[in-house]
Amino acid sequence: MMIRAILAAILLSGLYQVPIPTLLGLLAFTVVYLFYVYWVFKKWNTHFSGHRTTRRNKNSPSNRKMPPIKTLEENKKLILNNSKHHEQFDTCELLNDVKTMEVTRKENQVIRARAKRTMSLSVKALGHLGEKMTGALLGSLNHVEAAEELDMDHVYVPFFDFLWAHTFIGPFSYMLWKHRTIILRIRQFLWKRGLIKPSECDYEAMCATLLLEQTQAIHYYARTDEGSKLGNIAGFFFANFPWVDNQCNYQVADLFAVDIDLDTKRFVKAKLDDINLNAKETLILLWFNTIAAQHVKLHSMANWGVNVDDALADVNPFFRRSSVVTVMYNFFGYTSFNGFMKTWAAEGLCSPGWAGPNKPFVQSVNHGVKGNVWQHAQILDLVKYSEFINFVVQVRSIFFAEFEKHKKFFPGTDGEAMFVGTILHSLDHTLMDWNLKDALWLDVDDPRFGKMAEVGRVVKVGFVSDVPGLYFHKRFKGSGHPFYEAVYRKAAKINKKLADNMDTCIIK
C-alpha cells in the first residue's frame, strides 16, 4: 500500500519527468528517512511520552520556582568546615576573609524583581511580536513553592519538536564530534610516535585563565589584603569537589583550592585535600570541573528560562524555537552523552571504566547539578582582572532592564534563568574553546588524574565549539527580535567580540 501511495504521489506531482537516477535517489532518501523517523519516535516514546510532563503540570520541577541559590554564608561555612579535616589549610590566609556585600545584595534584589517570571506560560489573547498584547495571564505555574533542586533534563516537548531537533540539530552535532574525535585519534597516534608535537602550554597562565575567564570564576572566595607579603593573591575554593581517580572511580574531595596571582595572572599553588598539586595537574582538575560539574549548572538553570508551549508559537516564535533547542540540547547533553562512552572506549579515546555501570561521569554531573549555585557577589573584586567578568557584570544589568520592558513576550520565563541559559552558557563555551587551544595539553598519562584528561580531550574537540550546518539563527546579533537586538546593541559597546558570540539558546 505504501509503495502504491508513493507512486501515485510521484505521478500527481510531475516527478515522472525527473531523470530516473534522481528519482531513485529521492525514493531511497525518503525510505531511509522514514526508518529514521520511526527510530526517533521510539526514542521519544522511551524518554518523553508518558515519562515527562509539561511545565504546566505541578509534577514538573520547573513548574515551581527555580531553587533559591545558596547563601554566601552557607558556602563559607561549608568551605571552613571541610578545611578543618586537612592540616595544610590551617595556615591559609584567605579562608576567613570573606566580606559582606550589602550594597551588591540590594542591587541584586532590584535585578531579581525585574527577572521575576509571570505566572503563566501563555496569554488569553495572543498578539503578534511588536504589537500591543491584551488579555490576562493564565495562571499555569506555581508561584509560591520552589523546586527542591536543579534538574538538567526534564522538560517535555511534543514528538514533532523532538523530530525537528533530530533532523536539523542532532546529525550536525554528531558529525562535529565524530569528525573531531577522528582527528584527535590521529594526532594522539602521531604524537606517541614522535611525529608531531603540540604547541607549548604555559600551564601556570592557563590555570589562571580557566579561573578568571570562565564561569568557574564564581568559585572566587577572597584575596589577600593590600600590602600583603604574599602579593595580590586570589583564592578559589571548591568544597565537596567531584573528581574521578585513575581506576575510574567517582570521588568527592573535601576541598580543592587554587591560588593565583592577580597581577601576573599566573598559578601560585593548589591543593586537593592533603595533596599538593602542580599547575599541570591543576589544569586537568579545573577542566574536568568545568565540563562535569560547573557548566552543567548553567544547562540546568536554563530549564526555568524556556517556554515550549504551543500558545507561544504565534506570540514569540523565535523564542519558542530557541526554547525547543535548549530543551533538546539538554536532553542530548544529559541523557544521550554517556551512551557514547562505549564508542570512545572502543576507539581508544577513553578507558573502559568510563562506560562501566558506575557511570562516573554521570555521577560527577549529578553532583554539580544538585550542588546548585551560591551567592558570589565578591566576584566584583575581579572585574578589573577579567575581561569576561567585566563584560558579564555590565551586561547582566542591561539584560534585565530590557527583559522587564519585553516581559510580555516571555510568559512563564525566569529572567535570571534565561540570562544564564543564553549569555552565560554561550560565552562559557566560547571561552572554553578560546582558552584551551589544544586538547593534547591535558595529560592522559598523569598517574593520578589521567583518566579525567581522557574525557576532557574528547569534550574539548567535540562538544565545545559551534555546531556547523544549522539553518536557523541562534545569535543575539542579527536576530531581528526587539529584545535580543536591544541587548546586543548595548553589549557590543562594552565588548563586541564577546557580544558577537552571545547565543539565544543552548546549542552547543
Side-chain angles (χ1 to χ4, degrees):
M1 291 292 291
M2 182 178 288
I3 294 175
R4 290 173 64 182
I6 293 173
L7 289 174
I10 290 172
L11 291 172
L12 290 172
S13 62
L15 285 176
Y16 62 88
Q17 298 177 353
V18 176
I20 295 298
T22 303
L23 192 59
L24 291 174
L26 288 171
L27 184 61
F29 174 80
T30 301
V31 172
V32 170
Y33 185 68
L34 287 174
F35 276 106
Y36 181 67
V37 170
Y38 176 67
W39 175 80
V40 171
F41 177 77
K42 289 177 63 179
K43 193 173 183 180
W44 176 80
N45 203 45
T46 299
H47 296 287
F48 282 73
S49 180
H51 300 279
R52 302 184 184 210
T53 62
T54 70
R55 290 185 63 213
R56 292 178 179 276
N57 190 297
K58 65 179 182 180
N59 293 319
S60 171
S62 52
N63 175 271
R64 287 166 284 174
K65 296 189 298 182
M66 190 163 62
I69 62 174
K70 296 180 178 180
T71 66
L72 187 68
E73 288 74 20
E74 283 181 277
N75 190 41
K76 177 179 178 180
K77 182 178 180 181
L78 179 62
I79 290 172
L80 290 174
N81 285 342
N82 285 11
S83 70
K84 293 174 182 177
H85 298 295
H86 305 279
E87 186 177 345
Q88 65 175 348
F89 288 108
D90 289 348
T91 57
C92 181
E93 180 178 324
L94 297 172
L95 270 175
N96 295 290
D97 185 23
V98 177
K99 306 178 183 69
T100 57
M101 306 289 284
E102 291 301 328
V103 174
T104 301
R105 286 176 179 173
K106 290 178 181 178
E107 291 174 351
N108 282 339
Q109 288 173 2
V110 174
I111 285 176
R112 281 192 288 274
R114 293 174 175 173
K116 189 176 181 180
R117 71 181 184 180
T118 59
M119 295 177 66
S120 173
L121 292 168
S122 61
V123 290
K124 284 183 178 178
L126 299 179
H128 293 286
L129 196 61
E131 296 179 356
K132 185 177 181 180
M133 297 175 61
T134 58
L137 294 171
L138 298 173
S140 51
L141 297 175
N142 188 329
H143 225 56
V144 177
E145 298 174 305
E148 293 181 3
E149 58 189 28
L150 292 173
D151 190 307
M152 182 171 167
D153 183 27
H154 70 271
V155 179
Y156 173 88
V157 295
F159 171 68
F160 284 105
D161 287 327
F162 192 81
L163 176 62
W164 175 82
H166 276 81
T167 301
F168 298 108
I169 301 174
F172 300 101
S173 177
Y174 175 83
M175 286 188 287
L176 173 65
W177 73 252
K178 196 67 176 177
H179 167 69
R180 295 283 185 85
T181 54
I182 289 173
I183 294 174
L184 175 62
R185 288 168 64 192
I186 294 171
R187 292 189 70 222
Q188 289 183 159
F189 176 84
L190 295 175
W191 188 27
K192 283 185 177 181
R193 284 151 184 80
L195 299 175
I196 65 167
K197 186 178 181 181
S199 58
E200 291 294 324
C201 176
D202 185 339
Y203 286 97
E204 293 187 354
M206 185 55 55
C207 288
T209 299
L210 262 59
L211 288 167
L212 289 173
E213 303 296 345
Q214 290 176 194
T215 61
Q216 269 187 139
I218 68 169
H219 288 276
Y220 166 68
Y221 188 79
R223 57 189 288 195
T224 52
D225 294 329
E226 186 174 353
S228 169
K229 63 180 181 180
L230 297 176
N232 189 14
I233 307 300
F236 295 78
F237 293 83
F238 304 71
N240 294 341
F241 182 80
W243 63 289
V244 177
D245 65 25
N246 270 8
Q247 285 71 49
C248 282
N249 293 317
Y250 166 73
Q251 307 280 358
V252 178
D254 287 325
L255 190 59
F256 172 47
V258 185
D259 290 357
I260 64 169
D261 188 313
L262 291 174
D263 293 331
T264 63
K265 294 184 180 180
R266 297 184 68 82
F267 170 90
V268 175
K269 63 180 179 180
K271 306 167 186 174
L272 181 71
D273 287 346
D274 295 315
I275 305 172
N276 288 309
L277 307 168
N278 59 39
K280 197 172 185 179
E281 294 170 322
T282 302
L283 176 62
I284 296 173
L285 290 170
L286 288 174
W287 184 258
F288 184 76
N289 182 69
T290 296
I291 64 174
Q294 168 62 28
H295 187 74
V296 294
K297 298 178 190 291
L298 313 182
H299 279 261
S300 303
M301 293 179 72
N303 285 322
W304 278 260
V306 298
N307 188 343
V308 298
D309 199 89
D310 288 335
L312 202 65
D314 293 327
V315 180
N316 196 347
F318 183 85
F319 174 58
R320 184 185 184 280
R321 185 182 65 190
S322 294
S323 295
V324 170
V325 173
T326 293
V327 171
M328 287 305 303
Y329 232 89
N330 278 347
F331 169 73
F332 294 148
Y334 184 82
T335 300
S336 301
F337 182 85
N338 199 69
F340 300 134
M341 291 290 186
K342 288 184 179 179
T343 299
W344 299 327
E347 294 174 344
L349 287 169
C350 68
S351 300
W354 286 108
N358 292 330
K359 299 181 179 179
F361 189 82
V362 174
Q363 290 191 71
S364 300
V365 169
N366 288 341
H367 181 99
V369 171
K370 293 179 186 300
N372 205 335
V373 178
W374 44 90
Q375 291 174 334
H376 42 274
Q378 72 276 17
I379 204 172
L380 293 176
D381 291 351
L382 304 179
V383 165
K384 72 176 184 177
Y385 302 102
S386 167
E387 180 182 12
F388 169 62
I389 297 172
N390 178 61
F391 178 77
V392 167
V393 167
Q394 297 180 72
V395 172
R396 183 169 178 262
S397 297
I398 293 169
F399 183 96
F400 292 123
E402 293 298 330
F403 183 81
E404 188 175 36
K405 294 177 188 176
H406 297 87
K407 187 180 289 190
K408 60 187 177 183
F409 298 126
F410 301 96
T413 304
D414 185 296
E416 186 81 63
M418 186 179 173
F419 174 75
V420 168
T422 57
I423 293 177
L424 274 188
H425 174 270
S426 55
L427 291 184
D428 206 32
H429 265 271
T430 297
L431 291 166
M432 286 162 65
D433 205 23
W434 291 352
N435 294 340
L436 189 71
K437 294 180 173 57
D438 195 335
L440 298 183
W441 290 349
L442 300 169
D443 184 9
V444 297
D445 297 318
D446 185 272
R448 280 194 290 225
F449 309 121
K451 296 297 187 255
M452 288 185 288
E454 294 174 348
V455 173
R457 285 184 179 184
V458 172
V459 173
K460 158 57 186 174
V461 300
F463 295 90
V464 171
S465 57
D466 287 329
V467 176
L470 302 176
Y471 81 87
F472 54 89
H473 195 84
K474 64 169 187 173
R475 301 284 199 208
F476 275 65
K477 179 182 179 182
S479 66
H481 189 291
F483 167 73
Y484 299 104
E485 291 287 1
V487 174
Y488 171 76
R489 283 194 300 272
K490 295 175 181 178
K493 293 178 181 178
I494 300 169
N495 188 317
K496 189 175 185 301
K497 180 179 68 172
L498 293 178
D500 285 350
N501 285 280
M502 297 189 310
D503 289 340
T504 64
C505 53
I506 290 180
I507 184 57
K508 52 185 174 183

